Amino acid sequence: MSESGKTGTGNNRRKHRIVKTGLCVAGAIIALAGVVLTVIGFYFFYNKESNLQFAAFIGVSFIIVGMFLVLFSFQRELSRYKKGENTVIFESENTDVRSSYIPPAEEKESAVTVVCECGTVNDSDALYCKKCGKSLHSVCPFCGEEVDSDSEYCNKCGKRLTKE
């Protein structure tokens, strides 16, 4: 990368930091002024000495605007936090680079499945076929062990379940 590219990036970061700091300071000052106006407005509302009760309404508006500016100044950090909240992070053994991990679709398909007599592929933990509703498990007539409906041999006793 050229030196001008690095300088441009550095200038952008510096500008961003200045704008962020300015928004944060301005928001805090506006919110503080809102608190002062709100206190003044409530004081005069309860004492009924003057017509400065409207200062409370203006003060609350200033508090809202000030807090919005402070939150807006931290928008980048909040979005990074939200993004990192929903991703699974793992650390590679060869490098210390962190990256998001999304399991490939092949892993999901390689799970154990049961094929119904109608030809529909079902999950191994399903009790009934998702297409025809037929029971996917039956009982071995020799040992009483529960077996999948597409099994040719019993898992427990090893005897043949289907006739040729």
Side-chain angles (χ1 to χ4, degrees):
M1 180 178 261
S2 67
E3 289 298 319
S4 62
K6 289 181 182 177
T7 306
T9 304
N11 284 338
N12 286 341
R13 287 184 183 162
R14 197 172 313 118
K15 287 178 185 176
H16 173 74
R17 194 170 39 243
I18 290 169
V19 169
K20 177 182 172 182
T21 304
L23 284 172
C24 193
V25 169
I29 290 171
I30 291 172
L32 185 61
V35 169
V36 170
L37 284 172
T38 304
V39 169
I40 290 171
F42 279 117
Y43 173 77
F44 284 109
F45 177 76
Y46 287 112
N47 286 335
K48 298 182 183 177
E49 295 175 10
S50 176
N51 288 333
L52 290 177
Q53 294 93 353
F54 67 91
F57 296 109
I58 295 172
V60 170
S61 300
F62 274 36
I63 291 171
I64 292 170
V65 169
M67 295 308 294
F68 175 76
L69 288 174
V70 170
L71 286 174
F72 186 74
S73 68
F74 288 102
Q75 183 178 8
R76 177 182 286 175
E77 288 80 6
L78 289 173
S79 66
R80 285 184 180 166
Y81 174 75
K82 288 178 188 175
K83 181 180 177 186
E85 189 93 337
N86 297 325
T87 56
V88 178
I89 306 294
F90 73 96
E91 195 166 325
S92 174
E93 293 178 10
N94 299 333
T95 63
D96 59 345
V97 176
R98 293 175 174 244
S99 62
S100 296
Y101 173 71
I102 300 171
E106 300 89 78
E107 288 183 19
K108 189 174 183 182
E109 303 236 348
S110 67
V112 179
T113 58
V114 178
V115 180
C116 182
E117 290 177 3
C118 69
T120 304
V121 178
N122 296 282
D123 292 334
S124 62
D125 58 346
L127 299 176
Y128 300 95
C129 177
K130 61 186 173 186
K131 186 174 181 182
C132 69
K134 186 174 181 178
S135 177
L136 296 175
H137 299 281
S138 58
V139 178
C140 174
F142 303 105
C143 68
E145 180 71 15
E146 185 176 294
V147 293
D148 295 334
S149 63
D150 63 341
S151 296
E152 292 184 21
Y153 293 91
C154 176
N155 290 335
K156 187 174 181 183
C157 67
K159 295 192 177 178
R160 187 171 182 88
L161 300 172
T162 58
K163 295 180 181 180
E164 291 182 49

